[in-house]
């Protein structure tokens, strides 16, 4: 493993001195031995329990209450939870929708189901009844785990769908989901199993190993380009392969306290709130607060608690940079910042480095993959770049014929799957063979994202293939224009899409959310257009600008550019 940090003379942490030799040596020599059988609870979590029995596995807080669990304590709770689920009738291979907020029981339930080799389907609590109904119709869900707060939506979905499922309710006695104040419980809900009560009386079941290529868990995609698809991962492709995420990109080790802002319902939680940190024996930190993201609150949490590594979406970093005065951005214990979910603008990375003294290390992957491209602490950061391939993956930019593209030439981001499929790649879109087959072009898995690679091997994001704008014979990636716009002090957020034009076919249109000190005007539109012209090729400037209060986003926080584009074309 390459070196990650070094200390200054006073013992404080400072940025790693880049050494490309470390990267290339690790990349060339890396190999991933996949065992015939594997269990994340038995082979990873419980082994840390044996080695670090009194070390914290989970540190949870809502700002008022704190709950801390050692590896030993979570092992015992999840083993009893597995026994309770087994007694309820959940068996190996059963699909279980886990619709829990960021409460300690989410981690416990996920471990418990994996001990049984049941198949968790994590889901955000922001789902509507229609969303739940869609999931019920998409696959055979045996059971649903939720809190009383979300039970009515689930009951409505089951009624509309016309089917039944085993219903399991979790109402913790301490944190704010409990009625009646601290120590209070919800009353019993008819037709639902009470998980906590049944766990208390259950026998422990530590688990058993499954074949590494058997199904382990399912995630629904975020739906930015169409209806959500069911991404099926094996025990090797996510539970095992996220070792790569925790080791190389998150740069974790025992003693680290890692905070990831992702909702528990999204694959990023598997990346950075579950598998990645626990592969490395680190502590998962969780701060639970309902409602929208507040940059000032996030800053306060980072300053109050002993967090050492932090993972947030680009939106969070953009809002902190745009809304919090520079002198207030000071994080004494955090040694490593990473970002993922969407590409992070170069301007934000440079401002963060200037103010905090640390880079934000952008990483790339999908619900279908573990981390496959990243900026690592052992390589020089090129702000705005996606970084370089993670060991274990051959990643390249290819053309429409499946041939590697020359440097600085736009093409499709692709992962080589022949002659050998890399470990950290999903097995299939469940029940959708056509969609699965469309991801393969010759020897390559096509991610659906466009980028180019420079002469040094760094990748640079252009946009989703469906988002690229074709105007007067030019191809324009929306991310480049958004990255220019974010530099202007008036722009808090932006989304760039194609808009119809009789002469050019399509033109660039920018939807812009303004910072609090600016108001919309024709003069500001002109100013922003001239600003883009001066900071990139003039033909790329947005010929249309519309000021909006908010941008449409998926419930995972990604901007729904497709929705904006369809609105422009009247579809």
């Amino acid at each position: 493993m390459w070196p990650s940090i070094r200390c200054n003379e006073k013992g404080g942490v400072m940025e790693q001195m880049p050494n490309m030799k470390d990267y290339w040596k690790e990349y060339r020599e890396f190999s991933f031995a996949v065992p015939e059988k594997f269990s994340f609870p038995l082979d990873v979590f419980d082994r840390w329990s044996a080695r670090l029995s009194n070390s914290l596995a989970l540190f949870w807080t809502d700002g008022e209450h704190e709950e801390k669990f050692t590896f030993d304590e979570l092992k015992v709770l999840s083993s009893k939870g597995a026994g309770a689920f087994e007694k309820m009738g959940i068996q190996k291979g059963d699909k279980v929708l886990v619709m829990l907020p960021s409460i300690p029981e989410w981690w416990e339930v996920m471990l418990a189901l994996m001990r049984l080799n049941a198949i968790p389907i994590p889901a955000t609590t922001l789902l509507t009844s229609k969303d739940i109904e869609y999931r019920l119709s998409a696959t055979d869900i045996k059971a649903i785990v939720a809190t009383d707060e979300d039970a009515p939506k689930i009951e409505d979905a089951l009624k509309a769908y016309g089917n039944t499922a085993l219903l399991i309710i979790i109402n913790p006695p301490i944190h704010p989901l409990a009625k009646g104040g601290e120590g209070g419980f919800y009353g019993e809900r008819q037709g639902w199993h009470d998980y906590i009560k049944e766990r208390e009386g259950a026998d422990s079941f530590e688990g058993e190993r499954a074949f590494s290529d058997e199904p382990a868990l399912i995630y629904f995609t975020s739906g930015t380009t169409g209806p959500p698809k069911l991404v099926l991962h094996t025990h090797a492709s996510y539970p095992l392969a996220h070792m790569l995420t925790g080791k190389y990109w998150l740069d974790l080790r025992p003693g680290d306290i890692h905070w990831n802002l992702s909702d528990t319902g999204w694959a990023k939680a598997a990346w950075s709130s579950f598998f990645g940190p626990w592969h490395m024996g680190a502590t998962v930190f969780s701060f639970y607060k309902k409602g929208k993201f507040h940059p000032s609150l996030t800053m306060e949490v980072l300053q109050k608690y002993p967090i050492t590594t932090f993972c947030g979406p680009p939106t969070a970093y953009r809002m902190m940079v745009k809304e919090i005065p520079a002198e207030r951005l000071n994080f004494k214990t955090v040694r490593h910042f990473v970002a993922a979910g969407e590409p992070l603008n170069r301007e934000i990375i440079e401002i963060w480095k200037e103010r905090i003294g640390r880079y934000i290390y952008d990483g790339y992957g999908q619900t279908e993959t573990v981390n496959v491209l990243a900026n690592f602490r052992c390589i020089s950061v090129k702000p705005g770049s996606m970084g370089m391939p993670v060991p274990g993956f051959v990643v390249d930019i290819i053309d429409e014929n499946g041939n590697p593209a020359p440097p600085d030439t736009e093409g499709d981001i692709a992962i080589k799957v022949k002659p050998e499929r890399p470990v950290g790649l999903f097995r299939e879109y469940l029940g959708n063979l056509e969609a699965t087959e469309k991801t393969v072009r010759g020897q390559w898995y096509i991610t659906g994202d466009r980028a180019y690679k420079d002469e040094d091997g760094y990748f640079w994001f252009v946009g989703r293939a469906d988002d690229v704008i074709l105007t007067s014979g030019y191809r324009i990636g929306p991310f480049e224009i958004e990255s220019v716009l974010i530099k202007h002090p008036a722009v808090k957020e932006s989304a760039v899409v194609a808009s119809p034009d009789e002469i050019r076919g399509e033109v660039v249109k920018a939807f812009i959310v303004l910072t609090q000190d600016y108001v919309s005007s024709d003069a500001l539109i002109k100013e922003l257009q001239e600003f883009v012209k001066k900071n990139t090729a003039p033909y790329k400037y947005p010929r249309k600008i519309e000021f909006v209060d908010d941008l449409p986003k998926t419930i995972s926080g990604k901007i729904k550019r497709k929705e904006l584009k369809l609105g422009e074309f009247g579809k």
Side-chain angles (χ1 to χ4, degrees):
M1 182 175 179
W2 53 57
S4 54
I5 59 171
R6 64 185 182 92
C7 295
N8 60 26
E9 293 179 357
K10 297 180 180 180
V13 175
M14 64 191 298
E15 288 286 345
Q16 164 68 22
M17 298 298 290
N19 186 345
M20 291 296 291
K21 291 181 180 178
D22 290 327
Y23 168 77
W24 287 116
K25 183 177 187 296
E26 185 80 3
Y27 187 79
R28 286 193 305 267
E29 297 178 359
F30 179 84
S31 63
F32 208 140
V34 177
E36 182 183 16
K37 288 189 173 184
F38 177 76
S39 165
F40 179 82
L42 294 176
D43 295 321
V44 178
F45 192 86
D46 291 358
R47 287 189 178 182
W48 284 116
S49 175
R51 292 175 58 187
L52 305 171
S53 59
N54 295 319
S55 294
L56 285 185
L58 178 64
F59 182 161
W60 179 94
T61 182
D62 63 357
E64 297 179 12
H65 308 96
E66 290 183 3
E67 294 189 57
K68 299 178 181 180
F69 301 84
T70 65
F71 282 94
D72 254 3
E73 288 168 337
L74 260 187
K75 175 185 176 180
V76 171
L77 285 171
S78 62
S79 296
K80 288 180 70 67
F85 283 138
E86 186 177 43
K87 191 174 181 180
M88 293 177 204
I90 297 175
Q91 302 174 355
K92 176 181 178 179
D94 285 340
K95 301 183 184 74
V96 181
L97 190 72
V98 181
M99 189 172 166
L100 294 175
S102 180
I103 57 176
E105 287 74 15
W106 180 79
W107 284 267
E108 178 187 328
V109 164
M110 290 290 289
L111 281 170
L113 291 171
M114 294 179 71
R115 291 185 187 279
L116 287 172
N117 290 312
I119 304 173
I121 307 176
T124 175
T125 58
L126 297 175
L127 293 182
T128 65
S129 292
K130 286 292 184 183
D131 294 324
I132 299 166
E133 187 181 345
Y134 172 79
R135 282 154 176 76
L136 289 167
S137 66
T139 190
D140 53 327
I141 292 174
K142 172 69 175 287
I144 303 175
V145 185
T147 65
D148 194 84
E149 186 173 9
D150 293 306
K153 293 189 292 188
I154 292 166
E155 291 170 345
D156 288 345
L158 284 166
K159 186 177 180 180
Y161 179 58
N163 208 331
T164 59
L166 182 67
L167 301 177
I168 304 165
I169 202 160
I170 292 181
N171 290 313
I174 297 178
H175 21 88
L177 293 176
K179 290 181 178 177
E182 185 172 343
F185 287 88
Y186 281 103
E188 293 184 2
R189 191 174 191 94
Q190 186 175 1
W192 291 70
H193 287 266
D194 188 319
Y195 171 78
I196 292 178
K197 286 185 178 180
E198 297 196 28
R199 180 198 65 195
E200 293 306 310
D203 295 328
S204 292
F205 178 74
E206 292 187 3
E208 57 188 12
R209 293 170 179 83
F211 288 104
S212 294
D213 61 355
E214 289 187 274
L217 72 165
I218 292 171
Y219 274 97
F220 280 78
T221 60
S222 56
T224 53
T225 59
K229 296 187 286 290
L230 289 79
V231 179
L232 177 63
H233 278 284
T234 66
H235 290 277
S237 69
Y238 245 37
L240 177 61
H242 268 305
M243 179 277 292
L244 302 170
T245 304
K247 178 178 180 179
Y248 295 121
W249 177 51
L250 299 180
D251 189 43
L252 295 172
R253 62 191 71 98
D256 274 325
I257 299 177
H258 180 69
W259 185 23
N260 170 38
L261 292 184
S262 175
D263 184 288
T264 53
W266 299 108
K268 190 60 182 62
W271 281 45
S272 199
S273 298
F274 199 88
F275 297 121
W278 281 345
H279 259 294
M280 306 310 295
T283 301
V284 172
F285 178 86
S286 175
F287 180 81
Y288 176 72
K289 187 68 68 175
K290 294 183 65 175
K292 292 185 176 180
F293 170 79
H294 294 287
S296 58
L297 178 59
T298 299
M299 181 196 69
E300 291 169 8
V301 172
L302 286 167
Q303 292 175 336
K304 179 179 179 180
Y305 295 96
I307 297 160
T308 61
T309 56
F310 175 73
C311 179
T315 299
Y317 285 106
R318 284 192 286 261
M319 291 178 72
M320 284 193 280
V321 165
K322 288 284 184 175
E323 297 183 18
I324 297 175
E327 61 273 13
R328 293 181 61 200
L329 288 173
N330 180 20
F331 311 115
K332 294 182 179 179
T333 64
V334 186
R335 67 171 179 82
H336 188 42
F337 296 91
V338 299
E342 289 189 305
L344 183 59
N345 317 86
R346 175 176 180 170
E347 175 78 2
I348 301 301
I349 296 173
E350 291 176 337
I351 293 174
W352 196 266
K353 172 66 173 174
E354 178 183 344
R355 295 180 183 177
I356 308 298
R358 307 216 181 285
Y359 282 114
I360 302 168
Y361 290 78
D362 212 3
Y364 170 82
Q366 301 178 300
T367 304
E368 294 87 341
T369 73
V370 298
N371 180 219
V372 295
L373 290 170
N375 290 275
F376 307 110
R377 290 171 67 84
C378 67
I379 67 174
S380 299
V381 172
K382 291 189 177 184
S385 164
M386 304 166 75
M388 303 179 77
V390 173
F393 289 94
V394 176
V395 188
D396 211 337
I397 303 300
I398 66 169
D399 62 23
E400 58 186 13
N401 297 316
N403 299 313
D408 300 320
T409 303
E410 180 190 323
D412 293 302
I413 303 175
I415 300 169
K416 198 168 187 180
V417 292
K418 296 178 182 179
E420 185 176 355
R421 190 177 180 88
V423 178
L425 189 60
F426 79 126
R427 190 169 86 177
E428 62 182 303
Y429 294 121
L430 192 63
N432 196 337
L433 179 61
E434 181 181 0
T436 304
E437 291 178 341
K438 282 184 177 179
T439 64
V440 178
R441 184 185 304 161
Q443 303 180 75
W444 304 91
Y445 162 78
I446 309 301
T447 64
D449 290 316
R450 304 277 292 180
Y452 63 91
K453 187 172 69 171
D454 66 23
E455 291 186 352
D456 296 323
Y458 287 75
F459 288 70
W460 299 83
F461 188 78
V462 173
R464 289 291 300 173
D466 293 342
D467 293 336
V468 173
I469 302 162
L470 306 175
T471 177
S472 298
Y474 294 107
R475 295 174 58 86
I476 300 173
F479 179 64
E480 179 184 1
I481 314 306
E482 292 166 2
S483 294
V484 173
L485 286 168
I486 199 69
K487 296 179 182 180
H488 194 283
V491 179
K492 180 179 177 181
E493 278 191 298
S494 69
V496 169
V497 300
S499 183
D501 182 82
E502 289 185 2
I503 297 175
R504 296 176 177 84
E506 296 178 351
V507 294
V508 176
K509 178 172 181 178
F511 292 86
I512 293 175
V513 179
L514 294 174
T515 53
Q516 58 185 5
D517 296 330
Y518 287 81
V519 295
S520 59
S521 67
D522 291 340
L524 183 57
I525 289 175
K526 185 67 174 176
E527 180 181 335
L528 289 169
Q529 289 174 327
E530 292 302 316
F531 182 79
V532 174
K533 288 180 182 179
K534 290 178 181 178
N535 285 277
T536 188
Y539 70 85
K540 297 180 180 181
Y541 84 95
R543 295 177 182 272
K544 300 179 183 179
I545 290 179
E546 182 177 337
F547 297 111
V548 295
D549 293 331
D550 292 291
L551 296 173
K553 295 177 181 176
T554 67
I555 47 184
S556 64
K558 294 182 181 179
I559 297 171
K560 298 170 75 172
R561 293 178 183 81
K562 183 176 181 180
E563 182 176 308
L564 293 170
K565 181 178 177 179
L566 290 176
E568 289 300 298
F569 285 83
K571 297 181 181 179

